Amino acid sequence: MIKLCVFDFDSTLMDGESIDILASAYGVGSAVSKITSAAMNGDLDFFESLNKRVSFLSGMSYEKVLELCKNFPLMNGAKELISYLKAKNIIVAVFSGGFHEGVDEAQKKLNFDIAFANYLHQKNGILSGLVGGEMMFSNSKGIMLKRLKELLKLKDDEVACVGDGANDLSMFKESGLNIAFCAKEILKQNANFCVDEKDLSKIKDIIK
């Protein structure tokens, strides 16, 4: 019986990568997307790659960031799946190596219970190119899930995780049911189930 379901955000609940969308709007999309791809495949250290990518956003208007984040495209089936899980009294959490600026906007629309992510540092309305927060490292999701399990007194087999990239591996190790959603090969190899269609509602057939 699943009591907690943890989702990645970028390319899982949201159809795209937050940093790539922001970088594209700021005219540095090509440089950033190459680093993102390598990081999600597990070819680069997540912490180093995150800092490098955010540095390209130095000088960007924070107001523009917030405007873009309000319009991040949600993944097909996201609202349906979360409504289904909550109707079953399953706690829904989001662990994102992306940014609260986008995740918090999505929470208003999807109504998940709690989210952990990072914050883009800004001063006087301008991004500094620095970032900090709760999900900075490759093992951050695993550490946070371990804490949540202890707080909620949950066993591994009462937890499900849904993700797509290499930085989701650490939370998979703390979970009993692991679902790779349109995922990189490195994550598929560590999953119990793989969903390769861009439709999160398909997961209703797994978490019954």
Side-chain angles (χ1 to χ4, degrees):
M1 178 69 72
I2 299 299
K3 295 182 179 179
L4 169 67
C5 187
V6 181
F7 288 88
D8 170 47
F9 183 67
D10 292 343
S11 298
T12 303
L13 285 182
M14 196 266 281
D15 191 2
E17 293 285 328
S18 302
I19 185 70
D20 291 355
I21 293 172
L22 298 178
S24 179
Y26 194 49
V28 292
S30 179
V32 168
S33 64
K34 289 177 184 175
I35 302 173
T36 298
S37 179
M40 291 305 98
N41 280 309
D43 297 330
L44 293 176
D45 176 78
F46 184 79
F47 174 74
E48 293 173 346
S49 72
L50 178 63
N51 280 285
K52 179 66 174 176
R53 286 176 288 164
V54 172
S55 72
F56 281 98
L57 301 182
S58 178
M60 186 176 184
S61 160
Y62 190 61
E63 184 178 350
K64 178 66 174 176
V65 168
L66 296 178
E67 177 188 325
L68 290 164
C69 287
K70 285 180 180 178
N71 296 300
F72 279 170
L74 299 178
M75 186 65 71
N76 185 35
K79 198 173 188 70
E80 182 182 346
L81 175 58
I82 290 178
S83 295
Y84 166 82
L85 295 173
K86 290 179 69 65
K88 293 172 69 67
N89 293 315
I90 295 172
I91 298 168
V92 179
V94 172
F95 292 177
S96 176
F99 316 110
H100 271 291
E101 286 82 1
V103 173
D104 294 353
E105 287 296 329
Q107 187 171 12
K108 296 174 188 176
K109 300 171 185 176
L110 296 176
N111 198 34
F112 44 82
D113 296 294
I114 193 167
F116 300 95
N118 300 314
Y119 296 89
L120 291 164
H121 180 258
Q122 58 92 15
K123 189 173 182 180
N124 300 321
I126 301 296
L127 293 192
S128 66
L130 300 175
V131 60
E134 304 134 0
M135 292 282 145
M136 293 288 291
F137 304 101
S138 60
N139 63 344
S140 292
K141 295 185 180 185
I143 292 170
M144 189 64 74
L145 181 50
K146 189 173 188 294
R147 289 177 177 173
L148 266 188
K149 285 189 303 181
E150 291 170 354
L151 177 67
L152 299 171
K153 295 178 170 55
L154 297 178
K155 300 173 183 176
D156 289 2
D157 60 7
E158 294 175 311
V159 179
C161 285
V162 184
D164 77 297
N167 69 322
D168 296 317
L169 282 169
S170 66
M171 70 176 182
F172 271 27
K173 292 175 183 176
E174 295 289 337
S175 167
L177 176 60
N178 296 309
I179 303 166
F181 179 76
C182 298
K184 306 299 188 217
E185 190 59 37
I186 190 171
L187 199 67
K188 286 184 177 184
Q189 292 171 2
N190 291 272
N192 303 112
F193 295 91
C194 296
V195 175
D196 292 322
E197 182 181 345
K198 269 192 171 186
D199 182 359
L200 282 169
S201 69
K202 300 293 183 185
I203 291 174
K204 292 195 296 181
D205 295 330
I206 301 171
I207 304 176
K208 295 181 179 178

